[in-house]
Amino acid sequence: MSETRSLRVVLAEDGALMRDGLTAVLARFGHRVVQAVADAPSLADAVEAHKPDIVVTDVRMPPTQTDDGLRAAIALRERDPDLPVLVVSQYIEAASAGELLDSTAARAVGYLLKDRVMDVADFAEAVRTVADGGTVIDPEVVRHLLSRRRDPLDRLTPREREVLALMAQGRSNAAIAQDLTVSAAAVGKHINNILAKLDLPPDADAHRRVLAVLTFLRS
Amino acid sequence: MEAITAVRRRGFLASAWPWRGLAYLVTSSVPGALVLTVGAAVLLVGGTLASVLAGLPMLAALAFAGIPVAAFERWRLRLLDAEPIADPHRTPDRPGVGGWLATRIRESATWRELGFALLLAVVLWPLDLAVAALGVAFPVALLTAWVPVLSGGRRGLWPGFAIHTPGQTLAAIPVGIVLLAAGAYLVTGMAVARAALTRRLLAPRPDEAARLLAEVTGSRARLVSAFEAERRRIERDLHDGAQQRLVAVATSLGLALLDLPPGPATDHVTHAQQQARQALTELRELIHGIHPQVLTQHGLPAALQDAAARSPIPVELTLTIEGRLPAAIEVTGYFVVCEALANIARHSGAARAWITAEHRADLLRLEVGDDGAGGADPGNGSGLTGLSDRLAVVGGALTLSSPPGGPTLLNVELPCPKPAPSGSSWPRTAR
């Protein structure tokens, strides 16, 4: 994970203000928007032309103004399973998140509420995580998923539930430790407890653990 | 008709019914005499002027004379009958006097009403007045015969018969009382018969009634769909406008924070960003209440799961819906369930709730239940009244069972043809 790596980004967003805002944030962190488009068909063309490091796309876009951006992202991944895609949306829907995770095997994919862009440093980190093959899931989606699985989750302590929520968002152990202001060792212990209580296989690889947690929550 | 049953009851004579019957018969002369005099005048003047063409419009206007007369008669019927007669006329096809005339002249109700007006002017009102006179004026004349006799005069009752002596006036009093009682029955009976005739002639015919119902249902459906279109427009405007601008502002503030040295300015910008964040959250909730995106994009099952996840009370879902349903059905079903969940959270004290949604054989069946205190009253401002109106527009119906002690069960049935094949399926069922 090199902090200095500059990413070449294709951006799809139909609102001009939002497009400028996203471009400014990406530029501030050293990335370059090689092309910004305003509708789904142009997104496919731009990706074809530029072979970017990551695609950042809105969900609701022309031509149909429904979920064209999401469809385009899924189609792009079908063509190129290694292309990182970060989907940002004005509304967070568990159903959209599920489709995206299913079609990408939850690799190099992100799904975030547009509001997260204002926390520019966090957003830049999310972009980098996805570009590096990681998973970023909006806390809203995780909250929705947690609300569906009450019984087995009741076995977790409140702190373990917090850790689980952050894991499901795709946060690294270090990031979780920082968020909860505890030591990395403590986070590791919580994670082991969670995996044991939910009958999930202990796994050293952080990303595979994220996948296991997401799979569990969605089953 | 209430008046008919009143006649058979004891205490009829002391009730208001004889007076109502009398009032009904007497007021008959208002439209009757008016139609007779105005009609005769118009015929005379119009007929005279017909040779110079100016009279023709006057004569033609007579064709519509039945309409106001019938409207008055329908209104007057309320003296005897609580159940109003519906107006058999339909809404003109186009606005303006021309549209009104063109529609009315083609309606059979217009001609039926003209016939009624003629009957009223020539036969009915004199008859009504005669019966009122016979039933009331004659007995009263007997009862008050002593007034002219005491002052040395006489009371003539009909040609060739009069009361002259005080003895006759005394004898006339019991006869008058008996006749007055009989007159009360006569007057009310006549009024009832007359009202029945009016109802028969002026009420909408079965085909007209069916058309009126279709008209009302159609206009209500149009209103609701216009309302829905407006909600979507507002949602779109907020999404494209205020929402986007707020995110842009908050993002600019976020960028500014990166470059600001720590100090009071940083605090102000952080505060401003917090305010923008709060405004965005509120705006998103508002938009969600207007028209949720999840419904548009993913259909009813996903939207119901979303609603269940938002509920503060644990909700168990059993969904058997394949593919997308018509938009009107999805929106109606969704808002009914949301309202039910909101009621459960507010009033029931339930520990858990459940939603069952099943689509089969052209019927969407929704059940929302909870294990709370029960005793829910649909009339008690629960919002369910508005929901059953909304349901009625798409031909749906709602039943509520909520015995004290619970459980409360809300059942909704919506007629709904087989859906289109599904695009998305995740997640289909959840617990």
Side-chain angles (χ1 to χ4, degrees), chain A residues 15-18 21 24-25 28-29 59-60 66-67 90-91 93-96 98-99 102 113-115 117-120 144-145 147-148 150-151 218, chain B residues 235-236 239 243-245 247-248 250-251 254-255 258-259 273 277 280 284 287 293-294 297-298 302 305-306 309 311 313-314 424 426-427 429-431:
Chain A
L17 277 172
M18 198 61 220
V25 170
R28 179 64 179 71
F29 287 87
V59 168
R60 188 159 152 180
T66 56
D67 58 352
Q90 202 71 264
Y91 312 97
E93 291 151 17
S96 295
E99 266 187 87
D102 283 342
L113 193 60
K114 263 188 196 170
D115 296 17
V117 179
M118 74 172 83
D119 302 312
V120 286
H144 181 101
L145 291 175
S147 75
R148 287 172 50 211
R150 285 176 215 252
D151 297 349
R218 294 173 49 211
Chain B
E235 188 271 335
R236 212 168 40 239
H239 174 268
Q243 220 174 10
Q244 198 205 154
R245 202 168 285 275
V247 177
T251 304
L255 283 171
L258 286 182
D259 300 326
Q273 206 191 20
R277 194 189 306 274
L280 268 169
R284 191 165 29 247
I287 293 175
Q293 270 301 297
V294 57
Q297 292 185 4
H298 298 281
Q305 276 172 15
D306 179 77
S311 164
I313 293 167
S424 88
W426 187 91
T429 56
R431 48 146 291 112

Side-chain angles (χ1 to χ4, degrees), chain B residues 199-388:
Chain B
R199 180 173 282 279
R200 193 172 176 81
L201 290 176
L202 297 187
R205 294 284 142 103
D207 61 319
E208 288 167 345
R211 195 210 357 90
L212 280 173
L213 189 63
E215 212 170 77
V216 169
T217 312
S219 100
R220 197 166 56 166
R222 279 195 300 280
L223 208 62
V224 165
S225 86
F227 193 60
E228 192 52 42
E230 187 65 4
R231 288 168 80 104
R232 282 174 187 246
R233 191 190 63 73
I234 293 170
E235 188 271 335
R236 212 168 40 239
D237 287 355
L238 287 173
H239 174 268
D240 294 343
Q243 220 174 10
Q244 198 205 154
R245 202 168 285 275
L246 263 174
V247 177
V249 166
T251 304
S252 297
L253 293 173
L255 283 171
L257 276 174
L258 286 182
D259 300 326
L260 274 175
T266 313
D267 297 343
H268 286 311
V269 174
T270 307
H271 181 71
Q273 206 191 20
Q274 279 307 327
Q275 295 295 317
R277 194 189 306 274
Q278 187 59 34
L280 268 169
T281 307
E282 286 168 11
L283 189 58
R284 191 165 29 247
E285 284 304 310
L286 175 76
I287 293 175
H288 189 90
I290 294 174
H291 193 94
Q293 270 301 297
V294 57
L295 191 61
T296 320
Q297 292 185 4
H298 298 281
L300 192 56
L304 291 181
Q305 276 172 15
D306 179 77
R310 287 162 174 267
S311 164
I313 293 167
V315 180
E316 199 172 305
L317 288 158
T318 314
L319 307 176
T320 324
I321 300 173
E322 293 288 331
R324 297 296 300 261
L325 311 177
I329 301 290
E330 286 189 337
V331 170
T332 309
Y334 172 80
F335 279 112
V336 170
V337 170
C338 283
E339 181 68 31
L341 287 179
N343 283 338
I344 291 171
R346 268 200 300 268
H347 309 298
S348 74
R352 59 178 208 97
W354 58 92
I355 300 172
T356 313
E358 186 185 26
H359 181 246
R360 93 152 64 120
D362 293 355
L363 194 70
L364 172 66
R365 194 175 279 120
L366 298 167
E367 183 187 282
V368 186
D370 70 74
D371 65 352
D377 176 9
N380 195 11
S382 61
L384 285 179
T385 323
L387 286 179
S388 36

Side-chain angles (χ1 to χ4, degrees), chain B residues 40-248:
Chain B
V42 168
L43 273 179
L44 196 69
V45 177
T48 318
L49 294 179
S51 51
V52 291
L53 294 180
L56 289 179
M58 292 179 74
L59 290 176
L62 269 189
F64 299 100
I67 295 173
V69 172
F72 181 75
E73 279 291 303
R74 279 192 289 268
W75 175 74
R76 207 166 64 82
L77 195 73
R78 284 193 277 179
L79 273 170
L80 289 181
D81 201 341
E83 186 194 338
I85 306 183
D87 188 337
H89 296 288
R90 61 192 175 92
T91 320
D93 298 330
R94 50 202 162 81
V97 178
W100 187 88
L101 288 174
T103 301
R104 288 289 170 268
I105 204 146
R106 288 200 305 270
E107 288 180 308
S108 67
T110 305
W111 304 105
R112 225 162 52 232
E113 289 173 349
L114 180 63
F116 177 87
L118 286 175
L119 188 68
L120 177 71
V122 179
V123 180
L124 292 180
W125 80 269
L127 196 65
D128 290 344
L129 218 51
V131 170
L134 192 66
V136 179
F138 186 70
V140 167
L142 279 177
L143 288 171
T144 57
W146 53 271
V147 178
V149 171
L150 281 186
S151 50
R154 56 198 283 276
R155 159 82 23 120
L157 291 173
W158 59 83
F161 185 83
I163 292 175
H164 300 277
T165 66
Q168 283 171 328
T169 63
L170 271 178
I173 286 175
V175 177
I177 289 173
V178 171
L179 286 183
L180 192 62
Y185 282 96
L186 175 72
V187 164
T188 313
M190 175 65 183
V192 166
R194 173 73 167 71
L197 177 74
T198 304
R199 180 173 282 279
R200 193 172 176 81
L201 290 176
L202 297 187
R205 294 284 142 103
D207 61 319
E208 288 167 345
R211 195 210 357 90
L212 280 173
L213 189 63
E215 212 170 77
V216 169
T217 312
S219 100
R220 197 166 56 166
R222 279 195 300 280
L223 208 62
V224 165
S225 86
F227 193 60
E228 192 52 42
E230 187 65 4
R231 288 168 80 104
R232 282 174 187 246
R233 191 190 63 73
I234 293 170
E235 188 271 335
R236 212 168 40 239
D237 287 355
L238 287 173
H239 174 268
D240 294 343
Q243 220 174 10
Q244 198 205 154
R245 202 168 285 275
L246 263 174
V247 177

